[in-house]
Amino acid sequence: MYDAMQAETVTITGHGGDEIEAYLARPLVVGPIGGVVVIHHMPGYDPETREITRRFAAQGYAAICPNLYSREAPGASPDDAAAAARAAGGVPDDRLVGDVAGAAKMLRSLSSSNGKVGVIGYCSGGRQAFLAACSLPLQAAVDCYGAFVVNTPPPESALRISPLLDRADQLACPLLGLFGAEDGYPSPEEVAELDRRLSELAKPHEFHSYEGAGHAFFAVNRPSYRPEAAVDGWRKIFAFFGTHLQG
Amino acid sequence: MCTYLTERVAITARAKGTPGWLKVTDASVYFDHPAELPAEHSLNIDLLAPEKGPSARVAVELDPAAALGLARAVLEMLASAPQGLLPDDVAAAARAHLAGAMG
């Protein structure tokens, strides 16, 4: 089996025409193959998220992770960039949508592309994956434990975002949701409310909540890592993207 | 969760990192995900020199008990410093905090 792949830092055109950094990983094949936009978690465009991006390439997808903190901290280390971005109140929603649009456009421009692009995000990126799926023409979306899709951030938080439930009717692709049953953000009640609303709207979606897992159970470098949930979650992700992004 | 809970404080201080001493003018104190500490959340302090860019930062990530211990130690040190070595109002405020909120 030929399994060569290439992974590199590239520049893409994001929101407002800004040039932003991104990490592109892809199998060296003629195609046609699907694409995946990876939205990093709040701690940033870190080595673990770039490893996730390579994992999608190893599974046969062209994958790209835009550095959402490129503007606040060009060239800075991921932890310094994350500190600067959080001090500024996080990534504005419209900028996120523009950056994901730029990343998806880049994937579709590859000669190997089949034109299909999915999005996946973790932690704050889970909410942002849902936002992107309600705002852009994508073929599949995965929300990994994104908070504040249903509930409003606490008033003392500096996070300047709003819930997204009122946009659920604009969800334009199938959604896979992977959650920890012991997570408080999003809580099981919040997940259940989103599930209920998407069912009312007849939006194709598939939610799984793992017992014994809380927030960030995919994060291999954190004590929150739960191998059983993560291994099963990865299987579900690849089955889901296989259905919606291949061919 | 990503809490984004932050207190921003203007400071007069120096902090040593790489490559050397920084004239820091701002501090962010926040409770959120750490980058390095093996915990889901931590009390984080960034000492910043914003005019030098985001990498001009001296950062610590403390578990909550360590943060409380550090805060108490800072207040005790200010409250017990020999008279005349620091402004009276600072010493009085430190003693008041120790007697009240942290007592």
Side-chain angles (χ1 to χ4, degrees):
Chain A
M1 176 192 165
Y2 182 73
D3 60 358
M5 57 186 270
Q6 181 171 326
E8 60 197 314
T9 301
V10 298
T11 299
I12 63 171
T13 303
H15 181 69
D18 295 342
E19 300 286 299
I20 64 167
E21 181 182 35
Y23 187 70
L24 173 67
R26 51 186 162 149
L28 295 178
V29 296
V30 173
I33 59 172
V36 176
V37 178
V38 178
I39 303 180
H40 62 69
H41 56 171
M42 189 277 271
Y45 176 78
D46 56 7
E48 290 73 25
T49 308
R50 295 199 290 277
E51 187 173 322
I52 286 171
T53 309
R54 289 193 296 273
R55 186 167 188 164
F56 284 109
Q59 287 285 327
Y61 297 93
I64 191 166
C65 177
N67 181 355
L68 302 178
Y69 306 153
S70 287
R71 297 170 186 78
E72 284 83 3
S77 66
D79 57 346
D80 289 343
R86 79 175 301 292
V91 174
D93 280 350
D94 57 343
R95 201 179 88 184
L96 178 281
V97 171
D99 287 354
V100 173
K105 184 178 177 184
M106 197 283 180
L107 290 176
R108 291 190 175 110
S109 75
L110 297 173
S111 61
S112 59
S113 173
N114 67 2
K116 297 177 183 175
V117 172
V119 63
I120 184 169
Y122 302 82
C123 183
S124 56
R127 175 186 176 278
Q128 291 166 332
F130 183 81
L131 171 66
C134 294
S135 311
L136 298 168
L138 299 168
Q139 280 65 55
V142 183
D143 167 4
C144 298
Y145 37 78
F148 309 129
V149 173
V150 172
N151 292 346
T152 304
E156 62 273 22
S157 169
L159 189 56
R160 294 193 288 266
I161 56 168
S162 303
L164 300 171
L165 201 56
D166 61 348
R167 302 195 197 191
D169 62 330
Q170 296 160 43
L171 180 64
C173 64
L175 175 71
L176 172 65
L178 300 173
F179 306 100
E182 295 173 8
D183 198 346
Y185 297 91
S187 66
E189 294 74 26
E190 196 175 355
V191 172
E193 187 171 345
L194 180 60
D195 189 9
R196 196 163 46 244
R197 182 61 183 145
L198 292 174
S199 295
E200 282 172 7
L201 294 165
K203 297 291 184 184
H205 68 289
E206 176 187 336
F207 280 11
H208 302 276
S209 289
Y210 292 98
E211 295 297 330
H215 198 71
F217 61 80
F218 278 111
V220 293
N221 61 327
R222 291 174 181 270
S224 55
Y225 181 56
R226 294 293 178 273
E228 286 187 25
V231 168
D232 188 74
W234 275 115
R235 284 198 191 105
K236 287 184 165 54
I237 290 166
F238 289 126
F240 179 75
F241 279 162
T243 300
H244 299 292
L245 301 182
Q246 288 180 350
Chain B
M1 71 175 288
C2 311
T3 69
Y4 279 82
L5 295 172
T6 307
E7 290 286 337
R8 187 75 174 233
V9 185
I11 57 171
T12 301
R14 300 291 184 274
K16 192 178 180 189
T18 303
W21 287 95
L22 278 174
K23 180 183 177 184
V24 290
T25 57
D26 292 73
S28 285
V29 179
Y30 52 103
F31 190 75
D32 214 326
H33 301 306
E36 183 65 24
L37 185 75
E40 211 34 51
H41 295 92
S42 57
L43 189 289
N44 309 313
I45 303 173
D46 292 343
L47 304 180
L48 302 159
E51 80 281 2
K52 293 184 185 294
S55 297
R57 180 175 77 117
V58 176
V60 292
E61 298 175 339
L62 304 162
D63 79 37
L68 187 63
L70 185 64
R72 194 186 298 274
V74 168
L75 289 172
E76 285 175 352
M77 200 51 55
L78 290 173
S80 61
Q83 203 170 8
L85 295 189
L86 74 172
D88 290 343
D89 59 334
V90 173
R95 284 192 290 273
H97 276 296
L98 281 170
M102 301 190 66

